[in-house]
Amino acid sequence: MTSLVWAGGFPCSKHKRCNGTERDARVMVWDQLPLPSRIRSALQRTHLKSVREVLSLPAVDVQRLTGLAQPEVHQLLTVAAAVCRRHAPLTVLQLQRGECRRCESGLRLSVSCPVLDGLLRGGLPVGGITELSGPSGAGKTQLALQISLSVQYPVEHGGLGAGALYICTEDSFPIRRLQQMISEQAILRSEVPPSVISGLHFSDHVYIEHAADLDSLQVCLSRRAPVLLAAGLVRLIVVDSVAALFRSEFQTEDWLERNKQLLTFSTMLHQLSQEFTTPVLCINQVMDVLKDDDSLGPLSSSVTPALGLAWANQVMMRLMMLRHQTTVSRGDQSSTLRRLEVVFAPHLARSKRDVGVWREGVRGVPVLE
């Protein structure tokens, strides 16, 4: 695997304003803001140290602290908001014309299986959080590994032309299985020219991080991930799994603090996804339920994803992977039947496909009647 290296530059060579490495304006000093000298002087006399602090206060408190008139406070807040905004406003007309502030608004990341890509209308969306939940042994990590290789293919072959940041919070990274899947790419991706596959050094572009606690996870997402993303080395973040740390660090009675930490965690993921046009895949555990009457739960199972509504509200697309007792065969291989379900997504209907886990990876199988 590859160690973290800073290479500089922009992830997008087409529109540098979309994903640039511009200076974070939220910590600018007051004399750098385009404001009249009276307002800057008033700010310097307060304890406010950043634009973020100004925007976090009600206007009446800003007026009280600065002694400025109401129109001046309005001017200050307007400039502060404009400085913090990373992208220009986007109109409906621009959306209709396909002019997105993120260069690849309709782009999808293939999962390297035509059947599953059909289920997902092309693959994972490049913006937002996709959750893949399911019981142990269902094949969640297998699919996550497969997508970590798929992202490295050029766009014309369903990838994003960059590597993956794979964050492990439970078990050690399954390096042997990854190497096996790499060696079988010519079989899994038979539609891709062999010269393209041989030119990709897959193992050099999977960046592995181990987060044993929430502090380590926060450091990874706030410091290491932005470096890789800004350098264009990574275009996929995988967290395997999201439930492990929150379940181990909080007791049942600590639900309020847990939900606050979940919100902080999801906010960081959303910011990274939106700023760098990057899909985020979070693997989640499940818990047993007495009956399946949760509108956010699976289509046909007795389990539901962990972490409740606090987490579900942060997820754009929820997938559920279940393991069944049936065995399917293909050639000299056999696999326990799995089923991948779309539980909810803004662009997809609730649907499912049967899959098997083979040497080369996760592939769809004919639906058994």
Side-chain angles (χ1 to χ4, degrees):
M1 299 302 105
T2 305
S3 58
L4 185 135
V5 179
W6 170 258
F10 294 89
C12 169
S13 60
K14 217 173 167 186
H15 301 289
K16 293 186 177 181
R17 70 182 178 88
C18 294
N19 289 314
T21 54
E22 68 270 14
R23 176 165 48 96
D24 189 344
R26 290 170 296 180
V27 294
M28 292 178 66
V29 293
W30 304 128
D31 59 5
Q32 293 175 311
L33 293 177
L35 290 168
S37 57
R38 168 177 162 76
I39 298 179
R40 290 201 302 267
S41 298
L43 284 169
Q44 290 169 349
R45 292 193 297 268
T46 70
H47 66 274
L48 299 172
K49 301 300 182 184
S50 68
V51 173
R52 173 180 286 176
E53 290 184 40
V54 171
L55 292 175
S56 67
L57 293 174
V60 63
D61 289 343
V62 175
Q63 184 174 6
R64 177 177 56 81
L65 289 171
T66 60
L68 296 170
Q70 186 175 355
E72 293 172 315
V73 171
H74 177 75
Q75 182 181 3
L76 166 61
L77 295 177
T78 300
V79 170
V83 167
C84 281
R85 187 171 58 215
R86 292 182 179 274
H87 309 286
L90 187 66
T91 67
V92 173
L93 181 61
Q94 286 176 305
L95 280 176
Q96 289 178 326
R97 294 173 176 173
E99 301 172 11
C100 184
R101 64 189 174 192
R102 304 192 314 262
C103 303
E104 306 97 343
S105 58
L107 200 59
R108 295 287 186 270
L109 170 57
S110 168
V111 299
S112 290
C113 171
V115 174
L116 299 184
D117 281 341
L119 175 69
L120 303 176
R121 289 191 188 175
L124 304 186
V126 297
I129 299 174
T130 296
E131 178 200 79
L132 176 60
S133 61
S136 177
K140 306 183 298 297
T141 296
Q142 304 269 349
L143 187 57
L145 292 175
Q146 183 165 306
I147 297 173
S148 297
L149 299 180
S150 180
V151 71
Q152 300 183 42
Y153 282 90
V155 173
E156 57 267 28
H157 295 297
L160 298 177
L165 172 60
Y166 202 106
I167 305 172
C168 300
T169 66
E170 292 185 87
D171 304 321
S172 58
F173 183 80
I175 181 64
R176 291 186 179 179
R177 177 56 175 149
L178 180 71
Q179 293 293 351
Q180 182 184 40
M181 296 175 76
I182 290 173
S183 67
E184 300 282 343
Q185 282 296 295
I187 297 175
L188 181 68
R189 302 299 303 269
S190 58
E191 81 284 2
V192 178
S195 59
V196 173
I197 297 177
S198 62
L200 295 172
H201 303 285
F202 292 101
S203 61
D204 290 342
H205 301 287
V206 179
Y207 298 82
I208 302 169
E209 285 283 345
H210 291 275
D213 51 50
L214 287 177
D215 289 340
S216 300
L217 182 60
Q218 184 174 6
V219 168
C220 179
L221 293 177
S222 63
R223 300 181 186 177
R224 299 190 180 100
V227 171
L228 290 168
L229 290 163
L233 300 177
V234 160
R235 285 292 296 279
L236 170 69
I237 298 175
V238 178
V239 182
D240 186 3
S241 72
V242 64
L245 298 182
F246 290 96
R247 277 183 159 182
S248 63
E249 296 202 13
F250 296 101
Q251 302 299 320
T252 305
E253 59 272 18
D254 300 327
W255 63 270
L256 183 58
E257 180 60 27
R258 188 198 70 170
N259 288 351
K260 289 181 180 179
Q261 293 295 328
L262 267 175
L263 180 59
T264 299
F265 166 69
S266 62
T267 298
M268 295 175 72
L269 290 179
H270 280 297
Q271 289 175 343
L272 292 172
S273 178
Q274 295 301 317
E275 181 176 353
F276 297 103
T277 322
T278 296
V280 174
L281 177 64
C282 290
I283 294 177
N284 194 6
Q285 301 169 353
V286 295
M287 57 185 181
D288 293 328
V289 293
L290 296 177
K291 59 181 180 178
D292 186 17
D293 59 355
D294 185 355
S295 61
L296 295 179
L299 296 182
S300 57
S301 71
S302 59
V303 295
T304 190
L307 302 180
L309 285 174
W311 169 249
N313 289 334
Q314 306 302 317
V315 174
M316 183 181 72
M317 179 165 69
R318 167 169 282 174
L319 307 176
M320 173 78 79
M321 202 163 187
L322 302 173
R323 182 186 178 107
H324 296 275
Q325 300 300 320
T326 309
T327 299
V328 291
S329 299
R330 195 194 65 201
D332 63 340
Q333 297 187 64
S334 63
S335 169
T336 301
L337 183 68
R338 275 86 165 176
R339 182 162 293 166
L340 185 68
E341 301 183 358
V342 176
V343 181
F344 63 76
H347 61 296
L348 298 175
R350 294 171 67 123
S351 53
K352 55 191 174 183
R353 293 291 185 275
D354 289 342
V355 301
V357 177
W358 317 99
R359 280 193 297 266
E360 66 271 24
V362 180
R363 306 180 83 168
V365 300
V367 177
L368 300 179
E369 300 295 340

